[in-house]
Amino acid sequence: MKKEHAPQENGISRAPLPGSRKIYVKGELHDINVAMREIMLSPTKLSNGKIEENPSAVIYDTSGPYTDPNFEIDLKKGLPRIREEWILKRGDVEQLENFSSEYFSERLADEKLDHLRFEHLKKPLKAKKGANVTQLHYAKKGIITPEMEYIAIRENQRIDLMKEQHAGKQSYLTEQHPGESFGANTPKSFITPEFVRDEVAAGRAIIPSNINHPESEPMIIGRNFLVKINTNIGNSAVTSSIEEEVEKAVWSCRWGGDTLMDLSTGKNIHETREWIIRNCPVPVGTVPIYQALEKVNGKAEDLTWELFRDTLIEQAEQGVDYFTIHAAALLRYVPLTAKRVTGIVSRGGSIMAKWCLAHHKENFLYTHFEEICEIMKAYDVAFSLGDGLRPGSIADANDEAQYAELKTQGELNKIAWKHDVQVMNEGPGHVPMHMIKDNMEKQLEYCNEAPFYTLGPLTTDIAPGYDHITSAIGAAMIGWYGTAMLCYVTPKEHLGLPNKKDVKDGVITYKIAAHAADLAKGHPGAQYRDNALSKARFEFRWEDQFNLALDPDTAREFHDETLPADGAKVAHFCSMCGPNFCSMKITQEVRDFAAKKELSEKEALEKGMKEKSEEFKEKGKQLYL
Ligand code: IRN
Ligand code: FE2
C-alpha cells in the first residue's frame, strides 16, 4: 500500500505536497502575488457529536511553481520571470547588447556545446551608468520595493489574516510563547513592509536578488525574520545530465531550502549554472573562485585579479544572487593556522592561502574589494563574505586565525555598505556547544549586526555518517542566538557526494534546527504550525498530522509500517502504545467522563485514572502472561 511520492514529470519532482495547495496572496502596496502553501485540515468531531472546522494552515513555501499543477514546466523556457516587470519599472537598468565575458563568448561559439545551450538566453540587464540597483540602496532612500512587500506577506505566513477570520474562536491560533532572542528585536506582532525596509536599510538583513534572476521569489536573510537554510548542490564530475542538476535544485526547494548554492566544478560549469538559475525559484549563490580556478586548470598560483573579475561579471550577468568571497583571509593570518589540527578546511580559503603564499602578496580579493563592490551594485549581487579560516575540528574552534578573519570581515562590511551593497558574513564550522555563543557575540560586535550565515556548526567530530545531526545541534543553538541563515550539512559530509536522500535528510534536519530557533526567538508566525499539529495529534486526525509535518511522506510511511490499513488513519490510537495504552485517548475519555459527570477535569483525572489503572492492571496481566 505504499503511495507514490513526489510524482515526476520529465524527471522533475512536481505535484503539491500531500493535503496542500498553492495559493497566491495579493499585495496591498504593489501588484504582487505571493506564493504560499495552504494545508487543508479536516474538522474535529466533538464528543457531543458536533463538528468544528479547523482553519487551514498557510505556511511559507519555497517550492516555487513546481508544486502548482496549473503551471507547465519546460526546463528550456525556465520559470516565469515574476520580478522582471518590477525591475524594469524602476527605470534604472538597461539591457546589454551582449555578454561581457570573453570566456563566455568563446563558449557560445563552440558548436560542441550546442546540446547544452539554453534556448531562451536573454541578454543581461545592468544598472544604468551611475545607478545603484541594490535593495539596500532603495531601502536607504525610504523606498518599499515589491520585493520587500512580498517578503513581509510571506514571513507572516498569513497568521494576521487567519487571526482576523477566526477571532474569538478557540483554535490553534492561540497566543504563542513570547520567546527569547539574544540581542535582536524580533517583532512581537506582524512583520510589515516598512519593518522589512528598515531592517535592510540598517544592514541587519539582506534580500539576495540579482536583477538577472527575475525567476526568484523574494526572500530575506536577517535575524529578525524566520531563520533560513541554504542547501548546496554541485557536480564534481560531468556524469549527471542537466535534468538531473535541475532536479536536485527543485528537490531541495521542495523540502524547504531557502537558498541554493551551486558549487559545481568541472567542465560545463557555466551551462549547468544557466539551467539551474533559469529554473530555480530561490536565490542562487556561488563561490566564483571555484570557476576561476577551473579557468587556470586548477593552479591557484595562476589566478589573477583580471580573470577573477571577468568571472564575477560573467556570473553576475547570468543572475547569481550572492557570491561567497574569501576576501578576509589575509596573508598574515595564514601562519596562524600552522599549528591547527586540521589546518585550512575551506576550499576557497585554501585556494587564496596558496595564492598569497606563492606570490607573497596580500589576497587580491581584499586589495580589489572596492572594485568588487562596483560590480556587485550594478546587478544587486550580495556578498557572503567567506570564512576561509573557519575551524575544521573541535580542537581548532574559536582560535586566533578564525577571529582575526572575522574582524576583517567586519571591516569589509563597512566598505560594502559605503557602496550600498548588501552583505552577510559566513561563520563556522566545528565548534563545541559551550563555545558557540561566543561566535555569535563576536560576530555581532565585529560585524555591526550584518546577518550571520554559518555552516552548522558541528558540535562533535566523532560521528561521520551523522554529521547532519552533529551540526543541526549547533545550528539550532546559533540560530537561536541570532544567526540568520544555516548552511545545511548532509549525512555524507566528510565522506562523499550527497545523493537525493541525503539532500532531503539534510534539508529536513536543518528545517528542524531553523524552526526550533524560530520558536525560541518567538517569531510571530512560528508556533501556530506546532499548535495545529499537536491538536491534530491529540484528536487522532492522522492525515492532518502527516500533512502538517515537515516530511509528510516519511511520517505516513512510518505509520503505515505497522498499521497500513486505511481505517488506522481515523483510529484513536497508534501502534506505539496500542489501542489500550494511549495517553491521548485516555485524556479525551477523561474529558468526556468529566463532561458527563459534570466533574472538573482535575477531579475527573484522579477518578478516571483510578478506574483506568484498574482496567490496565487487568489488561497488563493478560499481556504479560
Ligand atoms: C557557509 C558558512 N561558512 C561556509 N559556508 C558555505 O560553505 C559556503 O557558503 C559554501 O557554500 C561552502 C563552501 O565554502 P568554502 O569551503 O569554499 O569556504
Ligand atoms: Fe568539516
Side-chain angles (χ1 to χ4, degrees):
M1 258 228 13
K2 245 190 177 171
K3 294 197 179 95
E4 184 60 36
H5 299 133
Q8 293 200 336
E9 201 178 294
N10 306 326
I12 302 294
S13 296
R14 341 203 10 180
L17 282 143
S20 302
R21 69 169 176 221
K22 186 77 104 189
I23 59 164
Y24 297 91
V25 182
K26 289 233 168 293
E28 283 168 16
L29 303 174
H30 297 281
D31 183 16
I32 56 175
N33 295 301
V34 182
M36 316 231 21
R37 183 175 139 209
E38 182 178 16
I39 308 174
M40 272 82 66
L41 303 177
S42 55
T44 301
K45 291 189 191 81
L46 300 172
S47 54
N48 61 12
K50 281 198 184 134
I51 298 278
E52 188 184 71
E53 291 300 323
N54 286 298
S56 50
V58 178
I59 65 166
Y60 197 102
D61 183 12
T62 54
S63 63
Y66 298 97
T67 49
D68 183 346
N70 297 320
F71 170 77
E72 257 176 62
I73 39 162
D74 181 348
L75 297 188
K76 290 210 149 189
K77 269 200 187 131
L79 295 178
R81 292 189 283 267
I82 59 161
R83 292 175 51 235
E84 189 168 57
E85 212 188 303
W86 316 344
I87 294 163
L88 295 177
K89 241 185 170 169
R90 292 195 266 259
D92 49 8
V93 298
E94 59 190 6
Q95 191 145 28
L96 298 179
E97 288 297 311
N98 225 324
F99 293 87
S100 312
S101 164
E102 272 175 40
Y103 170 79
F104 184 45
S105 308
E106 272 168 37
R107 288 182 74 83
L108 270 181
D110 184 347
E111 283 169 19
K112 278 194 293 237
L113 294 171
D114 270 354
H115 65 293
L116 293 173
R117 213 88 67 199
F118 196 77
E119 232 173 48
H120 291 252
L121 211 51
K122 275 202 62 193
K123 294 287 150 60
L125 297 176
K126 191 182 174 183
K128 282 183 183 160
K129 222 176 165 50
N132 184 327
V133 297
T134 70
Q135 294 288 322
L136 174 55
H137 185 70
Y138 304 134
K140 279 190 182 166
K141 281 168 101 182
I143 299 168
I144 296 176
T145 60
E147 285 87 344
M148 295 171 194
E149 191 189 16
Y150 194 106
I151 286 162
I153 292 172
R154 200 172 192 196
E155 286 276 328
N156 284 324
Q157 315 209 54
R158 292 327 268 167
I159 195 158
D160 47 347
L161 272 191
M162 294 192 294
K163 274 200 173 165
E164 251 168 53
Q165 284 164 12
H166 296 276
K169 288 186 204 159
Q170 241 310 101
S171 82
Y172 61 79
L173 297 171
T174 47
E175 286 306 303
Q176 65 175 44
H177 301 299
E180 183 188 353
S181 34
F182 296 83
N185 51 334
T186 304
K188 292 287 172 268
S189 57
F190 309 129
I191 286 160
T192 61
E194 172 55 22
F195 181 76
V196 173
R197 188 204 59 74
D198 201 51
E199 288 291 296
V200 172
R204 270 195 298 270
I206 64 166
I207 303 175
S209 45
N210 186 325
I211 52 171
N212 289 311
H213 187 200
E215 299 90 349
S216 169
E217 295 170 357
M219 57 81 70
I220 197 160
I221 304 167
R223 75 184 193 285
N224 294 324
F225 299 93
L226 291 166
V227 175
K228 302 304 187 298
I229 67 164
N230 170 70
T231 66
N232 292 332
I233 61 164
N235 62 331
S236 16
V238 207
T239 47
S240 48
S241 70
I242 299 286
E243 279 81 7
E244 272 174 70
E245 287 308 312
V246 175
E247 168 59 5
K248 276 191 220 159
V250 172
W251 184 243
S252 82
C253 295
R254 179 177 180 86
W255 299 112
D258 291 288
T259 63
L260 178 96
M261 289 196 77
D262 175 14
L263 304 183
S264 294
T265 53
K267 278 274 160 288
N268 300 316
I269 205 168
H270 183 103
E271 288 74 13
T272 309
R273 195 167 52 231
E274 187 68 31
W275 285 76
I276 291 173
I277 294 174
R278 299 285 75 85
N279 289 292
C280 188
V282 303
V284 174
T286 60
V287 190
I289 201 81
Y290 297 176
Q291 189 185 6
L293 189 70
E294 292 291 345
K295 293 181 185 175
V296 292
N297 302 314
K299 288 178 99 176
E301 55 275 26
D302 289 352
L303 285 166
T304 62
W305 155 247
E306 288 73 22
L307 184 125
F308 181 79
R309 179 198 58 203
D310 290 350
T311 309
L312 277 191
I313 295 171
E314 174 190 339
Q315 296 199 12
E317 289 183 354
Q318 256 189 320
V320 175
D321 300 284
Y322 61 98
F323 288 152
T324 293
I325 297 198
H326 299 84
L330 302 186
L331 173 65
R332 65 177 182 278
Y333 303 154
V334 178
L336 300 176
T337 63
K339 292 212 173 89
R340 279 180 163 184
V341 171
T342 47
I344 299 176
V345 295
S346 149
R347 276 207 273 182
S350 59
I351 296 166
M352 290 322 296
K354 198 169 168 205
W355 187 91
C356 290
L357 293 180
H359 297 274
H360 206 82
K361 269 195 189 149
E362 191 50 279
N363 182 336
F364 64 77
L365 303 172
Y366 181 80
T367 53
H368 290 273
F369 197 74
E370 301 243 8
E371 286 156 273
I372 300 178
C373 290
E374 295 290 345
I375 297 171
M376 308 290 263
K377 69 183 176 195
Y379 307 90
D380 197 5
V381 183
F383 275 112
S384 184
L385 289 179
D387 57 337
L389 305 180
R390 66 173 169 271
S393 56
I394 292 297
D396 297 342
N398 299 11
D399 71 354
E400 211 188 332
Q402 184 199 332
Y403 282 149
E405 185 186 32
L406 186 66
K407 253 192 196 149
T408 302
Q409 284 190 27
E411 248 179 65
L412 295 173
N413 284 354
K414 286 189 189 150
I415 299 175
W417 285 331
K418 193 181 77 189
H419 289 267
D420 286 355
V421 173
Q422 309 191 80
V423 58
M424 62 179 167
N425 304 116
E426 295 191 359
H430 291 236
V431 184
M433 291 203 295
H434 63 292
M435 291 166 76
I436 288 179
K437 202 170 177 191
D438 192 54
N439 275 271
M440 191 67 232
E441 285 169 355
K442 291 233 169 35
Q443 194 270 344
L444 285 173
E445 187 195 328
Y446 299 166
C447 299
N448 292 288
E449 301 191 271
F452 203 21
Y453 160 41
T454 60
L455 183 56
L458 285 76
T459 50
T460 169
D461 298 341
I462 65 165
Y466 297 86
D467 279 329
H468 56 316
I469 297 175
T470 61
S471 66
I473 294 168
M477 290 179 70
I478 208 160
W480 179 18
Y481 300 151
T483 289
M485 185 154 82
L486 309 169
C487 185
Y488 92 156
V489 171
T490 74
K492 289 277 165 65
E493 181 76 8
H494 302 122
L495 302 171
L497 275 183
N499 60 25
K500 253 178 114 174
K501 182 176 184 313
D502 301 321
V503 168
K504 182 177 168 186
D505 287 350
V507 172
I508 300 290
T509 308
Y510 268 68
K511 287 300 285 180
I512 296 169
H515 185 72
D518 289 334
L519 286 175
K521 292 204 307 192
H523 184 287
Q527 197 188 304
Y528 85 98
R529 184 168 174 185
D530 296 71
N531 295 353
L533 191 144
S534 295
K535 188 170 187 273
R537 180 178 284 158
F538 186 72
E539 292 169 1
F540 302 99
R541 291 183 283 119
W542 291 100
E543 290 294 340
D544 290 352
Q545 195 188 150
F546 305 149
N547 295 341
L548 283 160
L550 283 176
D551 176 4
D553 297 344
T554 302
R556 184 175 281 105
E557 237 169 69
F558 284 6
H559 185 264
D560 280 0
E561 264 176 33
T562 41
L563 292 168
D566 274 344
K569 302 295 184 299
V570 290
H572 283 206
F573 62 88
C574 70
S575 67
M576 203 171 94
C577 311
N580 299 315
F581 289 85
C582 175
S583 62
M584 297 208 175
K585 184 173 174 237
I586 297 163
T587 314
Q588 289 201 350
E589 285 169 6
V590 170
R591 284 186 183 172
D592 294 348
F593 178 75
K596 255 187 239 144
K597 300 208 170 165
E598 287 175 31
L599 288 169
S600 78
E601 209 165 279
K602 190 169 166 273
E603 285 169 314
L605 263 170
E606 280 158 16
K607 218 172 162 170
M609 283 297 182
K610 213 169 162 211
E611 284 173 22
K612 280 282 166 199
S613 91
E614 296 303 321
E615 195 184 304
F616 291 157
K617 273 185 213 153
E618 276 308 303
K619 292 229 171 83
K621 266 185 220 152
Q622 291 161 20
L623 264 177
Y624 298 111
L625 270 180

